Structure formats: C-alpha cells, structure tokens
Amino acid sequence: MKKIIVSGITTLALLTGIVGGIGAGNSVQAAQTTLKFKDVPSTHWAATAINSAVEQGYLKGYTDGTFKPSSPVTKAEMASILSRLSDQPNTPNPATNNFTDIPEWAKSGVSTAIQKGFINPANYKGTLDAKASLKRGEMAVWLTQGLATVDSDYKQALDDVKNTVVPAKEYFTGNLAASDKNAVAVAMGTGLMSVGSDKQFGTDRTTTRAEVAVLIARYANVAKAKPVDFKGLNELRQVGLTGTNLNVITSVFKKTAEFKVPLGNRTYEDVTDDFSKIRNKDIITDTNHADLKVLNWIIVDSSVSNNERSIYYPVFVDEGVRLQSGRYFSFVEFGLNIKSSSMSQLQAGGLLNSATFNPLLSPQSKAFLSYDVPKISDFIEKRVFIIETPVYWADGLLHSKQSPPRAVTLQTKEGPIFSVSYTP
C-alpha cells in the first residue's frame, strides 16, 4: 500500500483535537513560523498548516499578500488540490471525467482527482457544479472515498457504519442525509472532521481555505494509519454492525454461563453474546403495557483518560462526571409500541426489570440536551405517553463488579436470548 506523505506539517497540527471551522474542541497550536501572509498571523489557529500547504504547493496566496483563510473553496479548486497528492494511489479502474461544466484550467485536476478515487462521477448527473463552494458533507465523501482507495478496509468501514449512531446533532434530529451519513461517520471516527460548538457536523456549510489546509495534513496522517488504529471508528463500525460498542469499550463481559441464565422453555443454544441477534427484535417484557425493541446500546466508561474516551462521551456525559470504579454508563435507544391509551412513564419503567436497560428516564446531562437527542419527555404529558410509537434514549448503569455478579439478559419473543456477565 502506498502511503501519502505531506512533509513539513507537524504532528501537532495534524492530530490535535478539532480546529476552527472544522469542529469544536482543542485548537491546533499555531507554530511560531515566519509570517507569510498579512491576514494569517502566527496566532491563527491554522497558521502552521496554511504555511506548510503553501510551501508544498497545494495552495497559493494572492498578489496583495493575503491568503484569505476564511474564503470558501470551490469544488474545482478542491479537486485540483487533491490531484496534487502525488503519493495517493490511483483506483484500479478509474471512471471517465464526463463532467460538462469544468472550467478549462481545472479539467486536468478533476480528471486526476477522479483517478485517485476522491470523486466518483457516478454520484453526479453529468455536472459537478464545479464553481460552487464545496460543502462539508461532500468534502467528507471525497476524503473518505480517497481513503477507500488507499486501503480496502476503509471501504469496508464505509459499509459497516451504514446503521451506526453518528455523534452529531443532525443524526439525532433526522437531518443527516443518507448520502452523507457513512462518509460523515468515517470522517468523524478517524478524526478527519468533527462537530462544531453547536454540535452540528454542518454538512451544508462551506469549506474554507484554512480548513482545507488542515484537512490535507490530517488526511495524510489518517491515510498512513490502519482503520483499526482509530478507537472511534471501531466503535462506529461495531454499533453499525451489532447495535452496541460494548466489546470496544470493555472486554470483561462474556456470554453468561448456562446455569446462570433463566431459560424457561428455551435451551442454552438460544443464548448469545452477539447483540445483533436481538437488535430491533421484540423483547419479552415484565408487563403487557407495550411492545419494546432495543435499537442501540451505547456504553461509556468515564474512568479512562481523555484520549481513550468513547466517541459517544461528548453526546451523553458532561465533562468531569465520573462513576465509581466498576460502573459504566448505559445509554439505550428504545422503540415502544404502546398498547394502552394511558400508559404512564412509570409503567414504561416497569417493562424491564433491569438497571442496564431501563426505559424510565432519559439522560439529563447538558451534553445530551445540547445534541437534541430524542428523550422520553418529548412524548409525554403529565407523565402519560401521548405518542403510540415513541423512540427515545434512556440511561442506566452497567456494573462489572457486583457481588454476586448479575447477568445482563434480554430475551426476544422469537427465540434468541442475549445474556452477558462480568467475567474477570
């Protein structure tokens, strides 16, 4: 596999948090470099990346001595920039540049960007809209398609995250287009891109010249790494494939031993530790007030260091909140089909006798509320449900050091039983 190398850009500028308009979080620390442009002081969040990108010939300044870091980049410009990544491999069977709206100066660059796998003409209807500003959603698509050309496992990752939970406000509010979702997930999972201070990924926001300079550097680093090197991407893939990130967060929960599972008229062959077997299936409940399905199950370990945190930590948990040793946050997306016209919130809580899967309450953290995640209060009035088929997130706890250990068990109506227990 060829590796993409952009020299002269420090690792700090490539991998430190989220920067400027690319996302909220830790800013890239601008290096004390020689001032090249009068509108890019050494304190600018992207100064190092901008100066390096110019030195490498990916971007240029203007004759008046400015760089215009906040100006948007057009699709034709970005295609030309990506075409200059000389170590990016070509696709085995590159498509033909059949776009009819490419300006003469950009035709070669667009053709090369297609050959390198960044742009797929099949996703368009004959025109690229080349002079339009490139939006962040399309940027994510281009960059992740490029990664898929570098390593086939990135291509597999794009498929694996199809049904994942994307930690961006647009996902939770239903405004993340299916055409962008997989690319946004992989871009976030690898740290290429992230949400802004408003928790939005901003698929419809334009990409600035400063952001492009940083993205080029980040892309180089991600392309040199393997997909499995990114914990966030591993979580997103597992949630997409199975409905939970449990096995990425911790390895101490295993299939419950036979004598500890209440089987009823089932056999131990029905027991599984594969959450995908019960995802979106009707679960046997303790009462008959509603049918219940578990759509997704997110685990967050608050005891680990910042760089080991779950990619879902910022969505559900406020900064500084820590549970006692041996406890994990358990966040569950439930889908109910209510049978009674007056089912109460308390009755919802009685559907499952589980501290881990508890439909009673939604998280109340500031983080959770800032992402506009669907919550139980969206569907009740005076503690009674007003919607027949609510889908919302609830919180609970997963214990690893209970004495005696208790199995976490969900039994479906159609057969499979999910059951795991703490196994040190």
Side-chain angles (χ1 to χ4, degrees), residues 391-407:
V391 176
Y392 63 92
W393 287 81
D395 64 352
L397 292 174
L398 175 64
H399 298 266
S400 65
K401 295 182 180 180
Q402 282 180 315
S403 183
R406 290 186 61 185

Side-chain angles (χ1 to χ4, degrees), residues 60-376:
K60 297 179 180 179
Y62 292 89
T63 56
D64 63 357
T66 64
F67 181 78
K68 296 181 172 51
S70 299
S71 294
V73 172
T74 69
K75 297 182 187 182
E77 290 170 339
M78 189 63 198
S80 297
I81 292 167
L82 293 174
S83 74
R84 297 169 193 148
L85 289 174
S86 59
D87 289 327
Q88 170 80 10
N90 289 332
T91 58
N93 300 296
T96 301
N97 181 2
N98 59 4
F99 295 122
T100 60
D101 65 334
I102 309 299
E104 192 63 35
W105 64 266
K107 286 183 178 179
S108 175
V110 171
S111 294
T112 302
I114 292 171
Q115 292 172 359
K116 291 180 180 295
F118 292 109
I119 302 173
N120 182 1
N123 294 337
Y124 301 86
K125 297 180 179 180
T127 60
L128 183 64
D129 199 10
K131 295 181 180 179
S133 297
L134 180 63
K135 295 182 178 179
R136 283 169 53 82
E138 195 167 3
M139 171 70 85
V141 171
W142 287 14
L143 294 180
T144 54
Q145 286 177 166
L147 290 175
T149 302
V150 173
D151 188 330
S152 61
D153 197 28
Y154 281 116
K155 183 177 181 179
Q156 183 62 50
L158 285 167
D159 188 60
D160 290 347
V161 298
K162 179 180 179 180
N163 295 313
T164 199
V165 175
V166 181
K169 193 179 215 178
E170 295 101 317
Y171 170 82
F172 293 109
T173 58
N175 294 316
L176 181 58
S179 58
D180 291 334
K181 178 183 175 182
N182 296 11
V184 169
V186 172
M188 292 186 67
T190 56
L192 265 175
M193 304 172 78
S194 187
V195 298
S197 58
D198 60 357
K199 314 307 178 187
Q200 301 266 10
F201 183 87
T203 53
D204 289 331
R205 295 173 185 166
T206 57
T207 308
T208 68
R209 285 166 56 80
E211 290 170 346
V212 167
V214 174
L215 283 171
I216 291 171
R218 286 188 175 176
Y219 180 85
N221 266 283
V222 173
K224 288 188 292 184
K226 292 288 187 181
V228 295
D229 295 336
F230 300 99
K231 181 180 180 179
L233 183 57
N234 292 336
E235 287 186 74
L236 291 165
R237 295 176 76 171
Q238 282 301 301
V239 173
L241 293 170
T242 71
T244 183
N245 63 341
L246 174 66
N247 291 333
V248 179
I249 297 301
T250 177
S251 61
V252 300
F253 288 89
K254 306 294 184 184
K255 182 178 175 179
T256 305
E258 182 173 2
F259 66 91
K260 293 184 178 180
V261 183
L263 295 173
N265 60 353
R266 309 286 175 84
T267 69
Y268 190 63
E269 292 181 355
D270 295 318
V271 179
T272 180
D273 58 357
D274 182 354
F275 195 77
S276 69
K277 301 297 184 182
I278 66 151
R279 185 188 196 184
N280 296 327
K281 303 286 176 49
D282 284 323
I283 303 297
I284 294 177
T285 56
D286 291 351
T287 65
N288 198 37
H289 296 298
D291 294 326
L292 177 148
K293 295 180 179 180
V294 175
L295 310 183
N296 291 289
W297 180 29
I298 302 299
I299 298 300
V300 174
D301 183 355
S302 62
S303 69
V304 297
S305 59
N306 288 6
N307 62 343
E308 290 295 322
R309 284 178 175 174
S310 166
I311 195 170
Y312 296 106
Y313 184 108
V315 177
F316 294 102
V317 183
D318 287 336
E319 189 65 39
V321 174
R322 293 174 65 92
L323 295 177
Q324 293 178 348
S325 176
R327 293 186 178 185
Y328 302 85
F329 285 105
S330 172
F331 302 106
V332 182
E333 185 181 21
F334 288 107
L336 303 184
N337 185 4
I338 297 172
K339 300 177 180 179
S340 167
S341 60
S342 59
M343 190 182 91
S344 68
Q345 180 178 2
L346 189 60
Q347 287 171 326
L351 290 170
L352 298 174
N353 181 24
S354 173
T356 302
F357 295 92
N358 186 355
L360 178 63
L361 297 171
S362 292
Q364 294 299 309
S365 64
K366 292 180 181 179
F368 180 83
L369 298 176
S370 70
Y371 276 83
D372 281 353
V373 184
K375 54 191 180 298
I376 192 170

Side-chain angles (χ1 to χ4, degrees), residues 7-9 33-34 36-37 48-60:
S7 60
I9 304 179
T33 57
T34 303
K36 296 182 183 299
F37 304 104
T48 299
I50 288 171
N51 290 333
S52 295
V54 171
E55 288 175 359
Q56 299 301 314
Y58 296 111
L59 292 163
K60 297 179 180 179

